[in-house]
């Protein structure tokens, strides 16, 4: 039996509230409503769509305290991190409201015998299947450009995010979007498969696991539907040299502990040159052991918070144990604590390259550190991954860092910064990290018909 939608507080594992799955009849009605809404929303002016998006941004900004508390209880995000997530959401909706018209403008083509342009025409109803780790931000990345382009949206959020997903619908409706432009649905996985096959649905965007991605991609392919997939990563974080090992370790740790390590673009494989490796590992262990268990509703400096669920914590413990059995060294942490979803921050070294654990994504506060002796070895190790989402390269010699970064096989790569952020920067990966792009000018082009429009002389 499928697990219903619920608010299950990860600090205690207590189920606070449950929500019924949508019925098949209710789902069909939701599709019909979204399809009908497309008829009016798709021909609304860009100015009118932008006004709604601006209002959405304003409402998220005004309600940030309530919104942060909702996800703190749903998936354990600390209130400051929840507040920071709202900042990203506000930026994304404002970005597409401000730049949508220029991003969707016709592109003239040189031709003879007539006038030709490429138009960016909305497709129709688009399904979003979104994850729990950033309950608002992940949705905003998909929804803002999709709505600005003139499509309508059906959102199937994670089963542990029922309140936040419904809150998004309430905000979009309050912002003035017509009924059916955005509908939150508590659907199960079988219903999503049916939904993708519905002729009124024109595409699907999924952020989630590889297994979910393969399933959605197969269904989309079978039904000839457009799909965008963002499926996580094992991002390389290469430190070629540093003038300050302690500071480099601090920066690396802050990146790894962000969102309790539950981010697709976390620095999951930290690759360090051998002359600074021992000192770096020692400092990472010291930092990890300095952290204490905290309450996401009352966070303090130097605290770690629960994972999204007790199951997630238990699975991460098994992954760490599997790595140790394969030959890795666990320096500290790696234990599930209490009745909730707390997992003590861990430092792992020596996971054998080529082993099963080496290729896995550790979705939590586990710092995996690898030693290399040359730039070439660092590049080889960085690219020895089934994923290709993001990555970073650090050196006091910028040219050296750029040469290494130029050869790393990812959708996003950074030099001397853990990760650049901004609504204007495209997001997406290669290999098993998926395909398609979100955010920036590329994000608004995923769910449009790039139509050739030709008028004869």
């Amino acid at each position: 039996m499928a697990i219903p939608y619920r608010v299950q507080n990860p600090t205690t594992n207590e189920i606070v509230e449950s929500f019924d799955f949508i019925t098949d009849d209710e789902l069909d009605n939701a599709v019909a409503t979204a399809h009908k809404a497309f008829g009016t929303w798709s021909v609304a002016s860009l100015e009118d769509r932008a006004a709604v998006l601006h209002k959405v941004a304003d409402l998220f900004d005004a309600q940030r305290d309530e919104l942060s508390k909702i996800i703190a209880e749903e998936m354990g995000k600390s209130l400051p991190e929840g507040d920071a997530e709202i900042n990203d959401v506000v930026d994304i909706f404002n970005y597409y409201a401000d730049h949508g018209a220029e991003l969707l403008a016709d592109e003239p083509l040189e031709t003879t015998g007539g006038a030709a342009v490429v138009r960016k025409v909305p497709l129709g109803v688009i399904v979003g299947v979104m994850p729990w780790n950033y309950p608002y931000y992940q949705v905003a990345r998909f929804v803002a450009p999709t709505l600005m382009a003139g499509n309508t949206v059906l959102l199937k959020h994670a089963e542990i995010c029922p309140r936040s997903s419904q809150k998004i619908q309430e905000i979009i409706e309050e912002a003035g979007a017509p009924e059916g432009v955005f509908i939150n649905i508590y659907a199960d996985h079988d219903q999503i498969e049916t939904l993708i096959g519905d002729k009124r649905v024109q595409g699907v965007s999924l952020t989630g696991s590889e297994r979910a991605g393969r399933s959605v991609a197969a269904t989309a392919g079978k039904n000839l539907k457009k799909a965008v997939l963002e499926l996580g990563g094992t991002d390389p974080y290469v430190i070629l040299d540093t003038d300050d090992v302690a500071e480099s370790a601090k920066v690396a740790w802050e990146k790894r502990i962000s969102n309790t390590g539950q981010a697709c673009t976390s620095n999951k494989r930290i690759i360090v040159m051998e002359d600074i490796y021992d000192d770096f590992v020692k400092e990472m262990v010291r930092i990890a052991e300095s952290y204490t268990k905290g309450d996401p509703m009352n966070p303090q400096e130097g605290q770690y918070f629960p994972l999204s669920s007790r199951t997630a914590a238990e699975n991460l413990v098994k992954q760490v144990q599997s790595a140790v059995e394969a030959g890795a060294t666990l320096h500290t942490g790696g234990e599930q604590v209490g009745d909730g979803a707390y997992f003590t921050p861990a430092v792992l070294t020596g996971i054998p390259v080529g082993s099963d654990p080496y290729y896995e994504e550790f979705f939590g506060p586990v710092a995996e550190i690898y030693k290399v002796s040359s730039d070439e070895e660092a590049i080889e190790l960085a690219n020895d991954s089934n994923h290709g989402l993001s990555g970073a390269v650090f050196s006091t010699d910028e040219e050296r860092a750029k040469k290494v970064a130029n050869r790393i096989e990812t959708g996003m790569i950074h030099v001397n910064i853990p990760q650049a952020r901004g609504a204007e920067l495209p997001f997406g990966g290669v290999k098993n990290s998926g395909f398609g792009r979100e955010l920036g000018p590329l994000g608004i082009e995923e769910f449009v018909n790039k139509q050739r429009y030709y008028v004869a002389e």
Side-chain angles (χ1 to χ4, degrees):
M1 181 178 178
I3 300 174
Y5 284 75
R6 74 271 181 205
V7 177
Q8 188 166 7
N9 191 328
T11 64
T12 63
N13 204 38
E14 174 192 3
I15 296 179
V16 179
E17 187 177 7
S18 296
F19 300 77
D20 293 332
F21 286 111
I22 193 171
T23 67
D24 290 343
D25 286 344
E26 289 169 335
L27 181 62
D28 186 70
N29 183 61
V31 179
T33 302
H35 182 64
K36 181 180 179 181
F38 175 71
T40 54
W41 185 248
S42 62
V43 296
S45 70
L46 292 171
E47 292 79 12
D48 286 348
R49 292 183 213 157
V52 171
L53 264 63
H54 273 311
K55 184 62 175 176
V56 170
D58 291 343
L59 290 169
F60 265 99
D61 192 23
Q63 300 177 37
R64 60 174 60 238
D65 290 345
E66 178 190 356
L67 294 166
S68 297
K69 289 175 182 176
I70 288 172
I71 59 177
E73 186 172 33
E74 280 184 337
M75 51 71 66
K77 191 187 298 284
S78 71
L79 293 181
E81 287 192 309
D83 188 74
E85 182 171 335
I86 300 303
N87 289 338
D88 287 338
V89 172
V90 171
D91 288 345
I92 290 167
F93 276 98
N94 280 331
Y95 170 80
Y96 283 109
D98 290 337
H99 299 282
E102 65 188 79
L103 297 175
L104 293 167
D106 293 348
E107 297 178 4
L109 299 173
E110 290 188 14
T111 186
T112 57
V117 297
V118 173
R119 303 168 68 206
K120 297 170 184 174
V121 182
L123 292 176
V125 181
I126 309 298
V127 174
V129 182
M130 295 291 117
W132 46 258
N133 58 332
Y134 291 92
Y136 304 119
Y137 165 67
Q138 297 281 175
V139 175
R141 288 191 337 197
F142 156 63
V143 166
T146 303
L147 293 186
M148 188 64 206
N151 302 292
T152 58
V153 168
L154 295 174
L155 172 69
K156 185 264 184 249
H157 215 318
E159 284 83 354
I160 63 172
C161 294
R163 286 181 182 167
S164 55
S165 59
Q166 187 59 30
K167 189 64 179 175
I168 296 169
Q169 177 174 326
E170 292 171 6
I171 285 176
I172 291 175
E173 289 176 347
E174 186 180 350
E179 180 187 6
V181 166
F182 178 95
I183 302 176
N184 174 51
I185 53 173
Y186 296 141
D188 63 28
H189 296 286
D190 290 339
Q191 288 174 316
I192 292 302
E193 184 172 354
T194 301
L195 196 58
I196 296 172
D198 192 301
K199 66 180 182 181
R200 294 167 293 183
V201 170
Q202 300 303 314
V204 57
S205 178
L206 174 135
T207 297
S209 67
E210 283 184 58
R211 184 174 69 175
R214 292 179 193 279
S215 175
V216 165
T219 303
K222 181 173 65 177
N223 291 282
L224 302 178
K225 300 292 176 69
K226 174 65 185 289
V228 171
L229 304 179
E230 196 272 276
L231 309 178
T234 53
D235 288 6
Y237 186 96
V238 182
I239 303 175
L240 300 173
D241 60 73
T242 178
D243 290 333
D244 189 336
V245 173
E247 179 63 20
S248 293
K250 177 185 176 184
V251 173
W253 179 261
E254 288 175 350
K255 172 67 173 168
R256 191 64 187 98
I257 201 71
S258 176
N259 204 39
T260 318
Q262 300 167 116
C264 298
T265 53
S266 283
N267 47 342
K268 300 195 180 81
R269 293 180 300 137
I270 302 172
I271 301 167
V272 182
M273 206 58 67
E274 62 181 357
D275 59 328
I276 57 174
Y277 173 84
D278 290 340
D279 289 341
F280 184 89
V281 171
K282 185 182 299 182
E283 186 63 17
M284 289 290 275
V285 171
R286 186 196 67 77
I287 297 173
E289 291 180 342
S290 73
Y291 271 63
T292 58
K293 179 181 173 183
D295 177 1
M297 289 287 194
N298 184 30
Q300 307 296 323
E301 286 292 324
Q303 291 184 331
Y304 67 92
F305 305 103
L307 297 182
S308 62
S309 68
R310 183 178 175 88
T311 298
E314 291 172 345
N315 287 341
L316 193 57
V317 169
K318 292 177 183 177
Q319 277 188 284
V320 170
Q321 291 173 345
S322 176
V324 171
E325 291 169 3
T329 299
L330 175 61
H331 295 263
T332 190
E335 299 175 339
Q336 191 271 325
V337 178
D339 296 328
Y342 287 93
F343 174 95
T344 55
V347 176
L348 272 176
T349 61
I351 300 179
V353 176
S355 66
D356 289 342
Y358 170 80
Y359 292 106
E360 293 177 356
E361 180 179 24
F362 287 68
F363 214 63
V366 179
E368 303 169 55
I369 309 173
Y370 298 86
K371 178 168 62 176
V372 292
S373 59
S374 68
D375 292 9
E376 196 66 34
E377 186 180 358
I379 294 166
E380 182 178 352
L381 186 63
N383 289 335
D384 187 7
S385 170
N386 295 328
H387 299 93
L389 186 56
S390 187
V393 181
F394 293 81
S395 174
T396 56
D397 181 347
E398 183 180 296
E399 289 305 312
R400 179 187 183 192
K402 286 161 64 175
K403 286 180 181 178
V404 171
N406 286 344
R407 295 176 57 192
I408 293 180
E409 301 161 354
T410 54
M412 302 171 284
I413 191 67
H414 305 84
V415 173
N416 288 335
I417 186 174
Q419 182 181 345
R421 300 180 64 83
E424 73 281 3
L425 299 175
F427 188 105
V430 295
K431 300 182 183 177
N432 290 6
S433 290
F435 47 77
R437 292 294 181 267
E438 297 174 307
L439 297 181
L442 303 184
I444 205 166
E445 294 186 354
E446 290 291 355
F447 293 110
V448 295
N449 167 18
K450 296 179 183 177
Q451 183 187 60
R452 187 183 76 186
Y453 189 81
Y454 188 98
V455 179
E457 288 182 353

PDB file of all heavy atoms in Angstrom, residues 154-178:
ATOM      1  N   LEU A 154       0.464  21.322 -13.350  1.00  0.00           N
ATOM      2  CA  LEU A 154       0.000  20.396 -12.324  1.00  0.00           C
ATOM      3  C   LEU A 154       1.221  19.983 -11.512  1.00  0.00           C
ATOM      4  O   LEU A 154       2.186  19.451 -12.062  1.00  0.00           O
ATOM      5  CB  LEU A 154      -0.656  19.157 -12.939  1.00  0.00           C
ATOM      6  CG  LEU A 154      -1.954  19.377 -13.717  1.00  0.00           C
ATOM      7  CD1 LEU A 154      -2.378  18.069 -14.388  1.00  0.00           C
ATOM      8  CD2 LEU A 154      -3.067  19.869 -12.806  1.00  0.00           C
ATOM      9  N   LEU A 155       1.195  20.229 -10.207  1.00  0.00           N
ATOM     10  CA  LEU A 155       2.338  19.909  -9.346  1.00  0.00           C
ATOM     11  C   LEU A 155       2.072  18.660  -8.523  1.00  0.00           C
ATOM     12  O   LEU A 155       1.090  18.592  -7.777  1.00  0.00           O
ATOM     13  CB  LEU A 155       2.630  21.071  -8.392  1.00  0.00           C
ATOM     14  CG  LEU A 155       3.678  20.771  -7.307  1.00  0.00           C
ATOM     15  CD1 LEU A 155       5.075  20.619  -7.914  1.00  0.00           C
ATOM     16  CD2 LEU A 155       3.684  21.841  -6.227  1.00  0.00           C
ATOM     17  N   LYS A 156       2.946  17.675  -8.670  1.00  0.00           N
ATOM     18  CA  LYS A 156       2.975  16.522  -7.766  1.00  0.00           C
ATOM     19  C   LYS A 156       4.240  16.664  -6.923  1.00  0.00           C
ATOM     20  O   LYS A 156       5.342  16.412  -7.382  1.00  0.00           O
ATOM     21  CB  LYS A 156       2.995  15.204  -8.544  1.00  0.00           C
ATOM     22  CG  LYS A 156       2.901  13.955  -7.655  1.00  0.00           C
ATOM     23  CD  LYS A 156       4.274  13.402  -7.373  1.00  0.00           C
ATOM     24  CE  LYS A 156       4.222  12.115  -6.568  1.00  0.00           C
ATOM     25  NZ  LYS A 156       4.740  12.267  -5.193  1.00  0.00           N
ATOM     26  N   HIS A 157       4.065  17.108  -5.676  1.00  0.00           N
ATOM     27  CA  HIS A 157       5.214  17.308  -4.800  1.00  0.00           C
ATOM     28  C   HIS A 157       5.518  16.006  -4.053  1.00  0.00           C
ATOM     29  O   HIS A 157       4.790  15.018  -4.143  1.00  0.00           O
ATOM     30  CB  HIS A 157       4.923  18.451  -3.822  1.00  0.00           C
ATOM     31  CG  HIS A 157       6.126  19.280  -3.495  1.00  0.00           C
ATOM     32  ND1 HIS A 157       7.370  18.731  -3.252  1.00  0.00           N
ATOM     33  CD2 HIS A 157       6.282  20.630  -3.360  1.00  0.00           C
ATOM     34  CE1 HIS A 157       8.232  19.702  -2.984  1.00  0.00           C
ATOM     35  NE2 HIS A 157       7.601  20.866  -3.048  1.00  0.00           N
ATOM     36  N   ALA A 158       6.609  16.020  -3.289  1.00  0.00           N
ATOM     37  CA  ALA A 158       6.983  14.867  -2.472  1.00  0.00           C
ATOM     38  C   ALA A 158       5.900  14.596  -1.437  1.00  0.00           C
ATOM     39  O   ALA A 158       5.236  15.523  -0.946  1.00  0.00           O
ATOM     40  CB  ALA A 158       8.320  15.119  -1.784  1.00  0.00           C
ATOM     41  N   GLU A 159       5.746  13.332  -1.065  1.00  0.00           N
ATOM     42  CA  GLU A 159       4.685  12.943  -0.144  1.00  0.00           C
ATOM     43  C   GLU A 159       4.832  13.580   1.234  1.00  0.00           C
ATOM     44  O   GLU A 159       3.872  13.659   1.992  1.00  0.00           O
ATOM     45  CB  GLU A 159       4.633  11.418  -0.008  1.00  0.00           C
ATOM     46  CG  GLU A 159       4.008  10.689  -1.181  1.00  0.00           C
ATOM     47  CD  GLU A 159       4.975  10.443  -2.323  1.00  0.00           C
ATOM     48  OE1 GLU A 159       6.121  10.945  -2.251  1.00  0.00           O
ATOM     49  OE2 GLU A 159       4.588   9.759  -3.289  1.00  0.00           O
ATOM     50  N   ILE A 160       6.047  14.050   1.578  1.00  0.00           N
ATOM     51  CA  ILE A 160       6.236  14.668   2.889  1.00  0.00           C
ATOM     52  C   ILE A 160       6.127  16.193   2.832  1.00  0.00           C
ATOM     53  O   ILE A 160       6.419  16.864   3.819  1.00  0.00           O
ATOM     54  CB  ILE A 160       7.579  14.257   3.533  1.00  0.00           C
ATOM     55  CG1 ILE A 160       8.769  14.729   2.691  1.00  0.00           C
ATOM     56  CG2 ILE A 160       7.620  12.759   3.787  1.00  0.00           C
ATOM     57  CD1 ILE A 160      10.119  14.525   3.374  1.00  0.00           C
ATOM     58  N   CYS A 161       5.672  16.721   1.700  1.00  0.00           N
ATOM     59  CA  CYS A 161       5.554  18.179   1.551  1.00  0.00           C
ATOM     60  C   CYS A 161       4.120  18.613   1.196  1.00  0.00           C
ATOM     61  O   CYS A 161       3.922  19.438   0.295  1.00  0.00           O
ATOM     62  CB  CYS A 161       6.521  18.680   0.482  1.00  0.00           C
ATOM     63  SG  CYS A 161       8.256  18.497   0.914  1.00  0.00           S
ATOM     64  N   PRO A 162       3.122  18.112   1.900  1.00  0.00           N
ATOM     65  CA  PRO A 162       1.752  18.458   1.505  1.00  0.00           C
ATOM     66  C   PRO A 162       1.342  19.874   1.857  1.00  0.00           C
ATOM     67  O   PRO A 162       0.561  20.498   1.132  1.00  0.00           O
ATOM     68  CB  PRO A 162       0.902  17.437   2.277  1.00  0.00           C
ATOM     69  CG  PRO A 162       1.712  17.114   3.494  1.00  0.00           C
ATOM     70  CD  PRO A 162       3.144  17.150   3.029  1.00  0.00           C
ATOM     71  N   ARG A 163       1.841  20.394   2.976  1.00  0.00           N
ATOM     72  CA  ARG A 163       1.459  21.752   3.355  1.00  0.00           C
ATOM     73  C   ARG A 163       2.147  22.796   2.487  1.00  0.00           C
ATOM     74  O   ARG A 163       1.524  23.760   2.035  1.00  0.00           O
ATOM     75  CB  ARG A 163       1.791  21.993   4.830  1.00  0.00           C
ATOM     76  CG  ARG A 163       0.860  21.293   5.807  1.00  0.00           C
ATOM     77  CD  ARG A 163       1.265  21.607   7.230  1.00  0.00           C
ATOM     78  NE  ARG A 163       0.432  20.922   8.214  1.00  0.00           N
ATOM     79  CZ  ARG A 163       0.722  20.829   9.510  1.00  0.00           C
ATOM     80  NH1 ARG A 163       1.842  21.386   9.975  1.00  0.00           N
ATOM     81  NH2 ARG A 163      -0.082  20.196  10.343  1.00  0.00           N
ATOM     82  N   SER A 164       3.449  22.619   2.259  1.00  0.00           N
ATOM     83  CA  SER A 164       4.173  23.601   1.450  1.00  0.00           C
ATOM     84  C   SER A 164       3.663  23.621   0.022  1.00  0.00           C
ATOM     85  O   SER A 164       3.552  24.687  -0.599  1.00  0.00           O
ATOM     86  CB  SER A 164       5.683  23.321   1.489  1.00  0.00           C
ATOM     87  OG  SER A 164       5.978  21.998   1.101  1.00  0.00           O
ATOM     88  N   SER A 165       3.326  22.460  -0.528  1.00  0.00           N
ATOM     89  CA  SER A 165       2.846  22.426  -1.912  1.00  0.00           C
ATOM     90  C   SER A 165       1.480  23.102  -2.034  1.00  0.00           C
ATOM     91  O   SER A 165       1.211  23.833  -2.997  1.00  0.00           O
ATOM     92  CB  SER A 165       2.778  20.987  -2.420  1.00  0.00           C
ATOM     93  OG  SER A 165       1.918  20.190  -1.623  1.00  0.00           O
ATOM     94  N   GLN A 166       0.611  22.886  -1.040  1.00  0.00           N
ATOM     95  CA  GLN A 166      -0.693  23.545  -1.078  1.00  0.00           C
ATOM     96  C   GLN A 166      -0.550  25.048  -0.862  1.00  0.00           C
ATOM     97  O   GLN A 166      -1.278  25.848  -1.451  1.00  0.00           O
ATOM     98  CB  GLN A 166      -1.621  22.954  -0.018  1.00  0.00           C
ATOM     99  CG  GLN A 166      -3.052  23.468  -0.091  1.00  0.00           C
ATOM    100  CD  GLN A 166      -3.725  23.203  -1.432  1.00  0.00           C
ATOM    101  OE1 GLN A 166      -3.419  22.231  -2.112  1.00  0.00           O
ATOM    102  NE2 GLN A 166      -4.620  24.097  -1.834  1.00  0.00           N
ATOM    103  N   LYS A 167       0.427  25.427  -0.051  1.00  0.00           N
ATOM    104  CA  LYS A 167       0.669  26.851   0.190  1.00  0.00           C
ATOM    105  C   LYS A 167       1.108  27.550  -1.096  1.00  0.00           C
ATOM    106  O   LYS A 167       0.739  28.707  -1.349  1.00  0.00           O
ATOM    107  CB  LYS A 167       1.737  27.013   1.278  1.00  0.00           C
ATOM    108  CG  LYS A 167       1.910  28.446   1.755  1.00  0.00           C
ATOM    109  CD  LYS A 167       0.664  28.976   2.437  1.00  0.00           C
ATOM    110  CE  LYS A 167       0.871  30.406   2.926  1.00  0.00           C
ATOM    111  NZ  LYS A 167      -0.365  30.991   3.485  1.00  0.00           N
ATOM    112  N   ILE A 168       1.885  26.864  -1.919  1.00  0.00           N
ATOM    113  CA  ILE A 168       2.301  27.443  -3.195  1.00  0.00           C
ATOM    114  C   ILE A 168       1.079  27.730  -4.057  1.00  0.00           C
ATOM    115  O   ILE A 168       0.968  28.799  -4.679  1.00  0.00           O
ATOM    116  CB  ILE A 168       3.287  26.507  -3.926  1.00  0.00           C
ATOM    117  CG1 ILE A 168       4.578  26.356  -3.122  1.00  0.00           C
ATOM    118  CG2 ILE A 168       3.597  27.043  -5.325  1.00  0.00           C
ATOM    119  CD1 ILE A 168       5.492  25.250  -3.630  1.00  0.00           C
ATOM    120  N   GLN A 169       0.141  26.773  -4.105  1.00  0.00           N
ATOM    121  CA  GLN A 169      -1.075  27.010  -4.888  1.00  0.00           C
ATOM    122  C   GLN A 169      -1.842  28.213  -4.350  1.00  0.00           C
ATOM    123  O   GLN A 169      -2.314  29.058  -5.127  1.00  0.00           O
ATOM    124  CB  GLN A 169      -1.982  25.776  -4.871  1.00  0.00           C
ATOM    125  CG  GLN A 169      -3.297  26.009  -5.618  1.00  0.00           C
ATOM    126  CD  GLN A 169      -4.154  24.773  -5.740  1.00  0.00           C
ATOM    127  OE1 GLN A 169      -3.647  23.676  -5.855  1.00  0.00           O
ATOM    128  NE2 GLN A 169      -5.470  24.942  -5.716  1.00  0.00           N
ATOM    129  N   GLU A 170      -1.962  28.304  -3.040  1.00  0.00           N
ATOM    130  CA  GLU A 170      -2.698  29.425  -2.447  1.00  0.00           C
ATOM    131  C   GLU A 170      -2.057  30.764  -2.811  1.00  0.00           C
ATOM    132  O   GLU A 170      -2.760  31.742  -3.118  1.00  0.00           O
ATOM    133  CB  GLU A 170      -2.747  29.253  -0.927  1.00  0.00           C
ATOM    134  CG  GLU A 170      -3.606  28.069  -0.481  1.00  0.00           C
ATOM    135  CD  GLU A 170      -3.477  27.785   1.003  1.00  0.00           C
ATOM    136  OE1 GLU A 170      -2.816  28.583   1.709  1.00  0.00           O
ATOM    137  OE2 GLU A 170      -4.023  26.761   1.467  1.00  0.00           O
ATOM    138  N   ILE A 171      -0.729  30.808  -2.793  1.00  0.00           N
ATOM    139  CA  ILE A 171      -0.031  32.055  -3.120  1.00  0.00           C
ATOM    140  C   ILE A 171      -0.239  32.429  -4.584  1.00  0.00           C
ATOM    141  O   ILE A 171      -0.511  33.594  -4.912  1.00  0.00           O
ATOM    142  CB  ILE A 171       1.468  31.926  -2.783  1.00  0.00           C
ATOM    143  CG1 ILE A 171       1.662  32.000  -1.269  1.00  0.00           C
ATOM    144  CG2 ILE A 171       2.288  33.010  -3.489  1.00  0.00           C
ATOM    145  CD1 ILE A 171       3.097  31.777  -0.824  1.00  0.00           C
ATOM    146  N   ILE A 172      -0.132  31.458  -5.485  1.00  0.00           N
ATOM    147  CA  ILE A 172      -0.283  31.745  -6.909  1.00  0.00           C
ATOM    148  C   ILE A 172      -1.709  32.200  -7.214  1.00  0.00           C
ATOM    149  O   ILE A 172      -1.933  33.113  -8.020  1.00  0.00           O
ATOM    150  CB  ILE A 172       0.132  30.523  -7.758  1.00  0.00           C
ATOM    151  CG1 ILE A 172       1.654  30.312  -7.637  1.00  0.00           C
ATOM    152  CG2 ILE A 172      -0.269  30.697  -9.215  1.00  0.00           C
ATOM    153  CD1 ILE A 172       2.175  29.067  -8.318  1.00  0.00           C
ATOM    154  N   GLU A 173      -2.679  31.584  -6.561  1.00  0.00           N
ATOM    155  CA  GLU A 173      -4.066  32.018  -6.761  1.00  0.00           C
ATOM    156  C   GLU A 173      -4.290  33.415  -6.189  1.00  0.00           C
ATOM    157  O   GLU A 173      -4.954  34.249  -6.800  1.00  0.00           O
ATOM    158  CB  GLU A 173      -5.015  31.007  -6.116  1.00  0.00           C
ATOM    159  CG  GLU A 173      -5.086  29.682  -6.858  1.00  0.00           C
ATOM    160  CD  GLU A 173      -5.965  28.657  -6.161  1.00  0.00           C
ATOM    161  OE1 GLU A 173      -6.318  28.877  -4.978  1.00  0.00           O
ATOM    162  OE2 GLU A 173      -6.287  27.629  -6.795  1.00  0.00           O
ATOM    163  N   GLU A 174      -3.729  33.673  -4.988  1.00  0.00           N
ATOM    164  CA  GLU A 174      -3.867  34.994  -4.371  1.00  0.00           C
ATOM    165  C   GLU A 174      -3.213  36.069  -5.229  1.00  0.00           C
ATOM    166  O   GLU A 174      -3.645  37.233  -5.235  1.00  0.00           O
ATOM    167  CB  GLU A 174      -3.255  34.985  -2.969  1.00  0.00           C
ATOM    168  CG  GLU A 174      -3.480  36.271  -2.193  1.00  0.00           C
ATOM    169  CD  GLU A 174      -2.880  36.251  -0.798  1.00  0.00           C
ATOM    170  OE1 GLU A 174      -2.440  35.168  -0.342  1.00  0.00           O
ATOM    171  OE2 GLU A 174      -2.830  37.331  -0.158  1.00  0.00           O
ATOM    172  N   ALA A 175      -2.175  35.674  -5.979  1.00  0.00           N
ATOM    173  CA  ALA A 175      -1.466  36.631  -6.846  1.00  0.00           C
ATOM    174  C   ALA A 175      -2.272  37.006  -8.081  1.00  0.00           C
ATOM    175  O   ALA A 175      -1.863  37.901  -8.828  1.00  0.00           O
ATOM    176  CB  ALA A 175      -0.121  36.048  -7.269  1.00  0.00           C
ATOM    177  N   GLY A 176      -3.401  36.326  -8.314  1.00  0.00           N
ATOM    178  CA  GLY A 176      -4.260  36.697  -9.429  1.00  0.00           C
ATOM    179  C   GLY A 176      -4.246  35.739 -10.602  1.00  0.00           C
ATOM    180  O   GLY A 176      -4.868  36.029 -11.635  1.00  0.00           O
ATOM    181  N   ALA A 177      -3.559  34.605 -10.483  1.00  0.00           N
ATOM    182  CA  ALA A 177      -3.580  33.629 -11.570  1.00  0.00           C
ATOM    183  C   ALA A 177      -4.979  33.039 -11.696  1.00  0.00           C
ATOM    184  O   ALA A 177      -5.597  32.692 -10.680  1.00  0.00           O
ATOM    185  CB  ALA A 177      -2.564  32.520 -11.311  1.00  0.00           C
ATOM    186  N   PRO A 178      -5.518  32.909 -12.889  1.00  0.00           N
ATOM    187  CA  PRO A 178      -6.849  32.324 -13.056  1.00  0.00           C
ATOM    188  C   PRO A 178      -6.910  30.887 -12.538  1.00  0.00           C
ATOM    189  O   PRO A 178      -5.882  30.196 -12.464  1.00  0.00           O
ATOM    190  CB  PRO A 178      -7.055  32.363 -14.572  1.00  0.00           C
ATOM    191  CG  PRO A 178      -6.138  33.442 -15.063  1.00  0.00           C
ATOM    192  CD  PRO A 178      -4.946  33.383 -14.162  1.00  0.00           C
TER     193      PRO A 178
END
